[in-house]
Amino acid sequence: MVTINDVSRRAGVSRSTVSRVIADNGYVSEAKRKLIEAAIAELGYRPNTMARGLRSNRSNMIGGVVVDVASPFYAQMVGGMQKAARAAGKSVLIASGYADQAEESRAIIELIDRSCDGLLLYLENPIREDVADIIRTSRTPVVTIGGDEYPVARAAVRIDNFTGALEAMRLLLAQGHRHIAYLSGGLMYRDTRDRLRGIRAALQEKGLTIDDIYVEHGDFEERFGVAGTERLLASGFPVTAIFAGDDDVAAGALLALKSAGKRVPEDISLMGFDDNFHARHLTPSLTTVRQPVDEAGRVAAQLLIKILAGQVPEQAEITIEAPLIRRDSVGALVSPPGRKEFAG
Amino acid sequence: MVTINDVSRRAGVSRSTVSRVIADNGYVSEAKRKLIEAAIAELGYRPNTMARGLRSNRSNMIGGVVVDVASPFYAQMVGGMQKAARAAGKSVLIASGYADQAEESRAIIELIDRSCDGLLLYLENPIREDVADIIRTSRTPVVTIGGDEYPVARAAVRIDNFTGALEAMRLLLAQGHRHIAYLSGGLMYRDTRDRLRGIRAALQEKGLTIDDIYVEHGDFEERFGVAGTERLLASGFPVTAIFAGDDDVAAGALLALKSAGKRVPEDISLMGFDDNFHARHLTPSLTTVRQPVDEAGRVAAQLLIKILAGQVPEQAEITIEAPLIRRDSVGALVSPPGRKEFAG
DNA sequence: GTGAAAGCGCTAACAT
DNA sequence: ATGTTAGCGCTTTCAC
């Protein structure tokens, strides 16, 4: 292994000078710099990150916690983080928190112990107090994505779930739907609560309340879409539009609707959330709300990088729009002849 | 920051003894172990990974290179790696190679420089000779996934693209299709070449050759599926079945077929490859070949972990089956009355 | 502008 | 079974 000593000998200078050239700080004469750079190239020297990190207490590594890298949603987010990090010459170390507080705590501590310079956190649970202490003690800057106001965060990036759900619900209402079912995610998620606020706001504009629609809480899984829709159809509620918790749930709902012989959107309209890859490929293509997750990851990483560089971001809270994507699964309500529209 | 010195003082022993307890090697009396563990707990001591890594030249970190973490396909693979790594108390540092040799080289070098104990490589290009040298010099064990025989690899995991494509093609042929189009990936990919071999083998069983079918090479993108299918339909080739390079290409092909007014599978059958999430949700649901990528990632990581533990895996080459998943997009060829089946 | 010296926190020979 | 010792490769005062 070639070390800084080899380079300094080869170039006929001290290690300190070589170090200055590598870190590109401090004064070095042009002549010596050339000499050193030549020696580095000839020897193929690459600094030892461990030694460097031990001494300087910096790793050039950013830590990221997401729910699960294996899921397309978070994978995109990680992709955004990586892009921004790489542009700044940093790497991203990813740990999955699996929406479990103990796992999330473990993930955070692991990243700190690996000397990550800063943390990007997408959590599903509040930060445990002992973990918050570790973050504070290590003075690791944290940027949260989509999270509640963690006391430890220096900045936060959010996707505007409220407005996204508001617009989605407005569309359903504008299309004449009044018997709407919301197959919601769990209330423990901030996203769910934000979306419910948006739904309520849209309902209020029409003089309605949340009690005027059908709401069931489940998880963000396709099978909940199937089961929830089956229960909904069995309930007797004269549903004309289903708002699914996300596109996976919508895919499940669509499956259940088809096997029940319901046409979408002629009999029942369907709204998703996320705009996954498959949203465009469902038949009919899914009207949904796009969550620009990769952008969220990128913006969060950029914020963190700024903070790491000692700058104070002019905006510590950034909200990213979640635009409504109109496709074919939502249609206008047409009263079939003889049907009593507002009965039931 | 609490160091090993603090622990040793608190427990009234030397640093070495503390170190032995942490690493769980060497002899330590039960009494002192208890004392030391108590001190560790009281002080909340967590070893400094940098110092540890510098000294021991091990990081407990596995490096993984995939084409792009942001894509669902590789995200699943990374998920598999993480699962296996975590079970062994290791972390995974991921770098994307973007199917570009320079990027792949950069990724590998970065992971080595970050002192990864071993590497999991899914590459799209041969390893550059200078990079192979770096791998050898650093003596970093490498396990490849889906790769050509890299000279540096200690073990390799592959998905059986040959048999997968063979079975897929057999199905199309068994259903009576003879005018088949293959919207292939590029020949620079090993996967593509393996699949073509499978296709040839299936054709040969029927006394046919690759020249009897329509082949176009493109990339694994939806838009290639659209454009390739449009060209195919315009070509006058009396196609009855399309075998798409992967499910994304199939999704594009389906779009193009629908806008051309073709019914699937009544007019034209469609076969995919990968079994992405959306394969089930296309209409009709896509008959395809499943690539168990998460399993590939997991198995590769397990192999590497074994090698890192000094064991020699009984099998240095593991092939994972790629089973045919029969759904609704492939149907039997029915000669329309008066149609000359084998003309054209 | 450059070099000498000290030491980051830990492990692993070696000695006892 | 435990302690002593000597660094791992690098950065960073501090002199000059």
Side-chain angles (χ1 to χ4, degrees):
Chain A
M1 184 192 199
V2 27
T3 76
I4 200 171
N5 275 309
D6 302 324
V7 176
S8 70
R9 262 193 301 263
R10 175 77 159 236
V13 298
S14 74
R15 288 184 322 198
S16 329
T17 311
V18 177
S19 176
R20 285 184 194 106
V21 169
I22 296 164
D24 198 25
N25 62 13
Y27 305 98
V28 180
S29 68
E30 207 40 49
K32 298 222 163 173
R33 157 166 279 123
K34 283 262 174 303
L35 230 52
I36 290 166
E37 276 164 358
I40 287 175
E42 283 165 29
L43 297 171
Y45 168 71
R46 302 190 317 280
N48 179 316
T49 45
M50 290 287 183
R52 210 171 206 198
L54 173 58
R55 184 56 229 249
S56 66
N57 213 17
R58 268 175 289 103
S59 65
N60 257 322
M61 220 161 52
I62 287 175
V65 177
V66 295
V67 176
D68 186 2
V69 247
S71 111
F73 187 83
Y74 298 106
Q76 268 185 277
M77 192 180 288
V78 170
M81 295 175 182
Q82 267 203 355
K83 228 173 285 168
R86 230 163 57 68
K90 299 182 185 298
S91 315
V92 183
L93 182 59
I94 293 297
S96 299
Y98 304 112
D100 173 87
Q101 197 181 40
E103 290 289 337
E104 288 176 348
S105 303
R106 183 201 48 72
I108 293 170
I109 293 172
E110 183 197 319
L111 296 178
I112 289 178
D113 285 349
R114 291 215 174 270
S115 309
C116 289
D117 297 338
L119 258 37
L120 263 18
L121 301 183
Y122 187 107
L123 305 177
E124 292 287 21
N125 298 281
I127 295 185
R128 237 170 40 200
E129 198 40 50
D130 60 320
V131 178
D133 269 345
I134 291 176
I135 294 174
R136 277 188 285 262
T137 309
S138 65
R139 309 176 55 75
T140 309
V142 167
V143 175
T144 58
I145 304 177
D148 284 300
E149 296 75 19
Y150 301 127
V152 294
R154 298 269 190 92
V157 173
R158 294 208 188 85
I159 292 175
D160 191 351
N161 282 274
F162 170 79
T163 309
L166 173 72
E167 295 289 355
M169 199 65 187
R170 271 183 181 156
L171 175 65
L172 293 179
L173 291 167
Q175 297 288 59
H177 297 283
R178 290 298 179 274
H179 292 102
I180 300 172
Y182 185 49
L183 299 182
S184 172
L187 282 173
M188 54 286 208
Y189 303 131
R190 182 199 168 98
D191 286 2
T192 299
R193 298 194 301 270
D194 287 348
R195 290 175 202 171
L196 275 171
R197 281 197 303 115
I199 288 172
R200 279 205 193 85
L203 285 167
Q204 197 176 0
E205 292 173 353
K206 294 284 181 189
L208 301 169
T209 76
I210 192 81
D211 295 326
D212 292 316
I213 70 171
Y214 175 107
V215 177
E216 181 176 339
H217 292 279
D219 49 22
F220 292 113
E221 302 282 341
E222 184 185 336
R223 60 171 180 276
F224 169 58
V226 174
T229 301
E230 285 168 357
R231 280 189 294 269
L232 167 65
L233 294 176
S235 74
F237 181 80
V239 62
T240 66
I242 297 177
F243 190 169
D246 74 2
D247 290 354
D248 290 1
V249 175
L254 186 59
L255 246 36
L257 288 172
K258 282 183 178 171
S259 26
K262 304 288 185 187
R263 293 166 307 159
V264 176
E266 293 83 352
D267 299 328
I268 295 180
S269 285
L270 182 60
M271 172 76 71
F273 211 102
D274 281 0
D275 197 27
N276 283 353
F277 177 87
H278 72 265
R280 289 183 41 227
H281 292 290
L282 295 178
T283 307
S285 63
L286 189 66
T287 294
T288 188
V289 177
R290 169 173 297 150
Q291 289 214 61
V293 265
D294 53 339
E295 193 187 338
R298 213 192 56 236
V299 168
Q302 285 168 341
L303 264 176
L304 181 58
I305 287 163
K306 227 172 218 168
I307 292 170
L308 290 175
Q311 301 170 36
V312 177
E314 57 286 354
Q315 271 198 68
E317 307 223 350
I318 294 182
T319 300
I320 295 173
E321 274 181 53
L324 181 64
I325 309 292
R326 293 188 62 162
R327 298 207 183 87
D328 303 327
S329 67
V330 170
L333 185 70
V334 183
S335 302
R339 177 164 165 191
K340 286 182 296 170
E341 197 49 47
F342 293 95
Chain B
M1 184 190 201
V2 28
T3 76
I4 200 171
N5 275 308
D6 302 323
V7 176
S8 70
R9 262 192 302 263
R10 175 78 158 234
V13 298
S14 76
R15 288 184 323 201
S16 330
T17 312
V18 178
S19 177
R20 285 183 193 107
V21 169
I22 297 164
D24 198 25
N25 63 14
Y27 306 97
V28 179
S29 68
E30 207 41 48
K32 298 222 164 177
R33 159 166 279 123
K34 282 265 173 300
L35 230 51
I36 290 166
E37 277 164 356
I40 287 176
E42 283 164 31
L43 296 171
Y45 168 72
R46 303 189 315 279
N48 178 315
T49 46
M50 291 286 182
R52 209 169 205 201
L54 173 59
R55 182 58 230 247
S56 66
N57 215 18
R58 268 174 290 103
S59 64
N60 257 322
M61 218 160 54
I62 287 176
V65 177
V66 295
V67 176
D68 186 2
V69 246
S71 111
F73 187 83
Y74 298 106
Q76 269 185 277
M77 191 179 288
V78 170
M81 295 176 181
Q82 267 202 353
K83 228 174 285 170
R86 228 161 60 67
K90 297 180 187 296
S91 315
V92 183
L93 183 59
I94 293 296
S96 298
Y98 304 110
D100 173 87
Q101 197 180 40
E103 289 289 335
E104 288 176 347
S105 304
R106 181 200 49 71
I108 294 170
I109 293 172
E110 182 197 320
L111 296 178
I112 289 179
D113 285 350
R114 290 215 175 271
S115 309
C116 288
D117 297 338
L119 256 39
L120 264 16
L121 302 182
Y122 186 107
L123 304 177
E124 292 286 21
N125 298 280
I127 295 184
R128 237 170 42 199
E129 200 40 51
D130 60 320
V131 177
D133 270 345
I134 291 175
I135 294 174
R136 278 187 285 262
T137 310
S138 65
R139 310 177 54 76
T140 310
V142 167
V143 175
T144 58
I145 304 178
D148 283 301
E149 296 75 20
Y150 302 126
V152 293
R154 299 270 189 90
V157 174
R158 294 209 188 84
I159 291 175
D160 191 352
N161 282 274
F162 170 80
T163 309
L166 173 73
E167 296 289 356
M169 199 65 186
R170 271 183 182 155
L171 175 63
L172 294 179
L173 291 165
Q175 297 288 59
H177 297 283
R178 290 299 178 274
H179 292 103
I180 299 172
Y182 184 49
L183 299 183
S184 172
L187 282 172
M188 55 286 208
Y189 304 130
R190 181 199 169 100
D191 285 2
T192 299
R193 298 194 300 271
D194 286 349
R195 290 175 202 172
L196 274 171
R197 282 196 302 112
I199 288 171
R200 278 205 193 84
L203 286 167
Q204 199 177 358
E205 292 173 354
K206 295 284 180 187
L208 301 168
T209 75
I210 192 81
D211 296 325
D212 292 316
I213 69 170
Y214 175 108
V215 177
E216 181 175 339
H217 290 280
D219 49 20
F220 292 114
E221 302 283 342
E222 183 186 338
R223 60 171 181 276
F224 168 59
V226 174
T229 301
E230 285 168 356
R231 280 189 294 269
L232 166 65
L233 294 177
S235 75
F237 181 80
V239 62
T240 67
I242 297 177
F243 189 169
D246 74 2
D247 290 353
D248 290 358
V249 175
L254 186 58
L255 245 35
L257 288 172
K258 281 184 179 171
S259 27
K262 302 288 185 189
R263 293 166 306 160
V264 177
E266 293 83 353
D267 300 326
I268 296 180
S269 285
L270 182 59
M271 172 75 72
F273 211 101
D274 280 0
D275 197 27
N276 285 352
F277 177 87
H278 72 264
R280 289 183 43 228
H281 291 289
L282 295 177
T283 308
S285 63
L286 189 68
T287 295
T288 189
V289 178
R290 169 172 298 149
Q291 290 214 63
V293 266
D294 54 338
E295 192 187 340
R298 212 191 57 236
V299 168
Q302 285 168 339
L303 264 175
L304 182 57
I305 287 163
K306 228 173 216 166
I307 292 171
L308 290 174
Q311 301 171 36
V312 178
E314 56 285 356
Q315 270 198 66
E317 307 223 348
I318 294 182
T319 299
I320 295 173
E321 275 182 53
L324 181 63
I325 309 293
R326 293 188 62 164
R327 297 206 183 87
D328 303 327
S329 66
V330 170
L333 185 70
V334 183
S335 302
R339 177 163 166 193
K340 287 181 295 174
E341 197 49 45
F342 292 96

